[in-house]
Amino acid sequence: MRLFRLVAGCLLIAAAGFAQAADAPVFDAAQTRRILSHGPWPPEMVADRSNRLSGRPEAIRLGAVLFGDTRLSGNGAISCQSCHQPQHGWSEARARSEGLQRLDRNAPGLLNARLQRWFGWDGANDSLWAASIRPILAHTEMGGSAAATAQLLRNDPPLACLARHVDPAAAAMEDADLLVLAAKAMAAFQETLVSPRTAFDDFRDALAASDRIAMTRYPAAAQRGLALFTGRGQCGTCHSGPNFSNGEFHDTGLPFFIGDAGQPPGTPRRVDPGRHGGIAQVKVNPFNLLGRYNDDPSSPAAIPIRHVVQLHRNWGEFKVPGLRNLIATAPYMHDGSKADLHAVIRHYSDLDEDRLHADGEAILKPLNLGDAEMADLLAFLESLSGPEDSAARYQALRAEAARVCP
Ligand code: HEC
Ligand code: HEC
């Protein structure tokens, strides 16, 4: 009897010590390994060798100014910031972007953009700087030109001054080279947009250090959601690594047709080819990493474009987005068709298997999640967000530029 009381007492003390974790899951060795693979965070800052301006403060400053400059557009009214708004995690609240025309896709957030291998939902660009040229030239987006961008950098006194600080020879460059300079400066600026550490990262590091007390600070619901994410949900197969993306393209069973609400009845329906079209575009893009604007052709960044081939299965595939700081970037998916994270989770729960490629995503099955499981998964996804100050740093950079080159 006394022994029983002693054991019960010890159990009670142990239970009190981990009270918060009482309904938290226990992670086995395989799951622990998977969880640890989603860190550490933040990642090391590695310069982009294809961009000689990467990491250079003068370029970052010029890039921040250009990012908000509507004069890069044909009608003088649209800047990058029109669609990539700092207060929305550098994306926007609209489902589908509107430039000079309505686009088929949602503007992705730009936090952690530098960690990607392909840019755009279809990967039609293979560098951050080429992805920054695309919207300027696209007649549906900003409708600008190399000539107009070059004129601006040569003739606008503050911009010419900022460009001179980046490269003393800027004013004498050809139009295309100045366009590339502008895009590389904007890329250097976008490279500084990194999402903050989060509650998940604290948990992940506590798990790595076997610090059980610190682990209990991570809410049990988020822990259960994490167990689903790395376990039965198999989400981490595609959403892998510290940025929760394998950098590749998959079909997740969204409708092929572009939703054209508000179109007159009888308007022919269009299909978004996704990655299939993206591969065709990146191969012929004069600004790809095989072209003469790559500042380091030996950089490993140029390997993917050399080897990518277009396959039938690429139809309707889209890039796996990272999952950090999603809290600010609603709506979700390439077409902005999911208004909130709950709707995304319901999509994976109710997945239409008939819509999935026959040869494609054997990983995805309808998960048939209960309400409590959906709430857990949501708690986990929300724990990948934290307060961040990139909007304030953007304003500070622009103010600094105005001081240096009034
Ligand atoms: C009219 C709205 C609009 C404007 C203006 C715009 N973008 Fe975008 N941006 C988008 C959309 C939509 C996508 C997705 C494109 C796709 O998948 O084809 C995108 C994609 C990107 C990407 C790729 C991100 C990723 O995660 O793959 C980058 C980088 C980017 N834009 C930077 C810029 C810069 C720099 C400018 C200004 C020069 C700019 N954008 C102007 C709407 C816009
Ligand atoms: C087969 C690979 C794959 C698996 C498995 C997968 N995803 Fe995705 N996920 C994607 C792709 C691809 C997209 C973009 C789809 C699109 O827009 O067409 C996406 C989009 C998302 C988005 C929207 C992000 C944004 O910025 O719009 C969230 C959230 C998400 N997935 C969470 C999950 C969760 C939670 C699971 C597990 C239940 C999961 N994913 C499993 C590939 C996958």
Side-chain angles (χ1 to χ4, degrees):
M1 191 59 201
R2 211 198 276 152
L3 183 67
F4 171 75
R5 245 188 260 142
L6 197 70
V7 172
C10 289
L11 282 176
L12 260 177
I13 292 166
F18 300 113
Q20 282 166 299
D23 50 352
V26 175
F27 298 105
D28 63 22
Q31 249 181 335
T32 300
R33 251 196 325 276
R34 270 178 243 144
I35 295 168
L36 296 188
S37 74
H38 292 297
W41 195 264
E44 204 186 322
M45 188 69 184
V46 184
D48 172 0
R49 284 161 51 189
S50 76
N51 177 0
R52 70 197 157 89
L53 306 185
S54 176
R56 285 188 41 201
E58 312 80 30
I60 293 170
R61 196 160 63 199
L62 170 64
V65 172
L66 289 171
F67 195 88
D69 200 321
T70 55
R71 292 172 298 174
L72 292 178
S73 64
N75 69 354
I78 307 168
S79 73
C80 312
Q81 205 192 312
S82 308
C83 302
H84 299 284
Q85 300 164 8
Q87 72 276 22
H88 288 291
W90 305 86
S91 82
E92 61 175 339
R94 253 190 214 132
R96 283 164 47 196
S97 275
E98 276 177 46
L100 291 174
Q101 290 170 32
R102 185 163 189 227
L103 307 182
D104 293 340
R105 300 187 187 150
N106 180 250
L110 297 177
L111 290 175
N112 310 325
R114 73 176 176 86
L115 297 178
Q116 307 188 41
R117 181 182 316 143
W118 300 106
F119 299 83
W121 286 104
D122 56 4
N125 285 282
D126 63 348
S127 72
L128 192 51
W129 52 270
S132 304
I133 293 176
R134 184 196 56 87
I136 300 178
L137 300 184
H139 68 281
T140 50
E141 291 187 49
M142 296 169 76
S145 66
T149 303
Q151 286 282 9
L152 191 64
L153 284 171
R154 282 188 206 110
N155 300 340
D156 177 68
L159 283 179
C161 163
L162 291 167
R164 204 161 48 240
H165 286 178
V166 172
D167 188 332
M173 285 180 180
E174 304 211 347
D175 290 356
D177 292 302
L178 265 176
L179 173 69
V180 170
L181 178 108
K184 286 182 175 169
M186 286 195 281
F189 162 63
Q190 293 168 81
E191 282 172 357
T192 68
L193 304 175
V194 179
S195 70
R197 274 182 67 85
T198 63
F200 166 75
D201 297 303
D202 291 341
F203 175 77
R204 182 256 173 219
D205 291 357
L207 183 66
S210 304
D211 182 344
R212 301 192 61 111
I213 304 289
M215 279 164 64
T216 60
R217 288 187 203 119
Y218 191 47
Q223 293 196 37
R224 290 191 304 265
L226 172 60
L228 249 174
F229 188 91
T230 51
R232 183 162 80 86
Q234 298 201 64
C235 314
T237 319
C238 302
H239 297 284
S240 61
N243 191 34
F244 294 87
S245 169
N246 61 6
E248 285 305 325
F249 300 80
H250 294 273
D251 172 22
T252 57
L254 291 173
F256 285 130
F257 288 108
I258 295 160
D260 261 326
Q263 293 281 355
T267 309
R269 300 181 80 191
R270 288 177 303 123
V271 171
D272 190 328
R275 182 57 172 152
H276 200 263
I279 293 175
Q281 286 179 47
V282 74
K283 286 275 195 188
V284 299
N285 187 334
F287 301 108
N288 73 23
L289 292 177
L290 300 177
R292 73 174 181 91
Y293 300 102
N294 179 353
D295 291 323
D296 179 5
S298 72
S299 148
I303 294 171
I305 174 95
R306 236 171 249 138
H307 296 285
V308 70
V309 283
Q310 198 184 39
L311 302 171
H312 181 70
R313 64 159 291 173
N314 297 131
W315 265 98
E317 286 186 339
F318 292 91
K319 191 172 67 186
V320 178
L323 300 180
R324 286 180 179 270
N325 265 53
L326 287 186
I327 230 161
T329 61
Y332 302 100
M333 302 303 207
H334 74 271
D335 55 0
S337 59
K338 304 294 172 211
D340 52 34
L341 288 174
H342 188 76
V344 178
I345 293 171
R346 190 155 343 103
H347 167 76
Y348 285 110
S349 181
D350 301 347
L351 204 76
D352 176 2
E353 264 183 298
D354 293 340
R355 228 309 276 114
L356 286 180
H357 284 172
D359 59 344
E361 315 304 347
I363 322 156
L364 282 170
K365 301 260 177 305
L367 293 172
N368 300 316
L369 300 171
D371 287 347
E373 287 176 309
M374 289 206 240
D376 289 344
L377 205 44
L378 184 62
F380 166 65
L381 289 178
E382 286 177 349
S383 79
L384 299 176
S385 292
E388 59 95 21
D389 62 353
S390 58
R393 279 186 287 115
Y394 175 55
Q395 290 314 332
L397 278 169
R398 294 170 60 85
E400 182 192 303
R403 270 197 309 278
V404 178
C405 291

